[in-house]
Amino acid sequence: MKAHCFLILATFLVLTGCKKENESPTTPRTVATALPFENAAVKVELVANNLPTWIQAMTFLDASVGIVCTYDGKVYRTSDGGRSWSLQYSVGTPTQLPLLQILFTSARVGYIVGGSVQCTGSGCTPPGGLVLKTTDAGITWAAVHRVNGAALAAIAVNSVGDLFAVANTTGSQIIKSSDAGATWTPVASWPYQLNKIAFDLHLGYGASGNSGSGGNAGKIIRSLEDGASWSEAATFAYPYLNELAFGPGIGFCASGYSIVYKTTNDGANWTPITSSNFSAQVITPLTATNCLIFGSGTYSGGDFGTYSGSLRQSEDAGNSWSEIELKTVGTIRQASFYSAQSGYALAGSTLLKITVK
């Protein structure tokens, strides 16, 4: 009888031990019911809640000067840390092209890309895409390039100052400018759309926005030579990669706003880093070890419920994470850091100041 009891106890210990070994470690989570919120690693403060609507991208050059662009073709600027915003540019009517991404290559020179290939009504001509440029830190903007029948979805700069943009139709092209945006030439094409492009020194990366005729899979493309040539580097099960970001020696991407992957070997291999029911809208690598992920938290419930905002932080290169749910704001869809410690995040029309300690 004693031997039988001992055998049962030993079996129980083995089974429970194996279960704990295979389980993912619990991610520490904090619920912030008010702002400002502060812990030992990060501080979140409310700046303003009256920003322009339909913001698609945001960039802060320093603590005071920031630029946003909107889906209805407008560019706004702040010079007081986001407390007030002024309209600097409008595409105009009836061709209010969506403006989708901002890139500054210096403190004064910046670019915005956008466009659309969708149109309705008889005789409608797709409006195409455009590149806007500023040389005075976002005070004035002018269109320096237009594309017929394609939307410009993303823009990046390589290690020697060449610009690269993504032009989408049913598939996509990567186009290049070596004269500060004045002229552009195609350098690669793909049967699926791309929605992200980024450079990490001389290495270039792109992420697919839909499967298109390239199959039901998400793709990472890569250039090893400053964008001169490109090839597929990785394939993901989910067809939509919504985010792609690189920091010193490390890169991240997000699949379908949910699964986050990292690479530490220049995009050759990608590993899922953590499981969470928080969404991943924007990833911000700050250093080789410190990274933030912004998105949505839990759903309030009901037919007309809302999602709270969320912030995940890793201080060990993505190996472990802590989570903060921000109950007083909605989903965070944009973030911009002007240093490794300081930046801003945007939830709808609410601007947050983020300080990493």
Side-chain angles (χ1 to χ4, degrees), residues 185-224:
T185 56
V187 295
S189 61
W190 307 93
Y192 42 80
Q193 291 184 350
L194 300 171
N195 66 341
K196 298 290 181 181
I197 188 169
F199 277 86
D200 179 23
L201 299 177
H202 66 283
L203 301 174
Y205 302 89
S208 64
N210 74 357
S211 57
S213 60
N216 189 28
K219 305 285 188 180
I220 293 287
I221 63 169
R222 182 176 63 167
S223 172
L224 302 178

Side-chain angles (χ1 to χ4, degrees), residues 52-71:
T53 58
W54 299 348
I55 292 174
Q56 301 298 297
M58 175 178 73
T59 293
F60 271 82
L61 303 180
D62 53 37
S64 300
V65 177
I67 311 292
V68 298
C69 62
T70 67
Y71 192 80

Side-chain angles (χ1 to χ4, degrees), residues 251-284:
F252 298 89
C253 72
S255 171
Y257 299 96
S258 57
I259 305 174
V260 178
Y261 300 82
K262 77 170 182 178
T263 180
T264 55
N265 60 355
D266 299 332
N269 301 102
W270 296 81
T271 305
I273 57 174
T274 184
S275 60
S276 174
N277 62 351
F278 286 176
S279 76
Q281 300 278 343
V282 57
I283 304 174
T284 306

Side-chain angles (χ1 to χ4, degrees), residues 124-159:
C124 173
T125 301
L130 80 166
V131 180
L132 303 179
K133 182 178 180 180
T134 181
T135 57
D136 54 12
I139 297 174
T140 60
W141 294 85
V144 294
H145 184 68
R146 293 184 181 272
V147 179
N148 293 325
L152 298 183
I155 186 170
V157 62
N158 69 4
S159 64

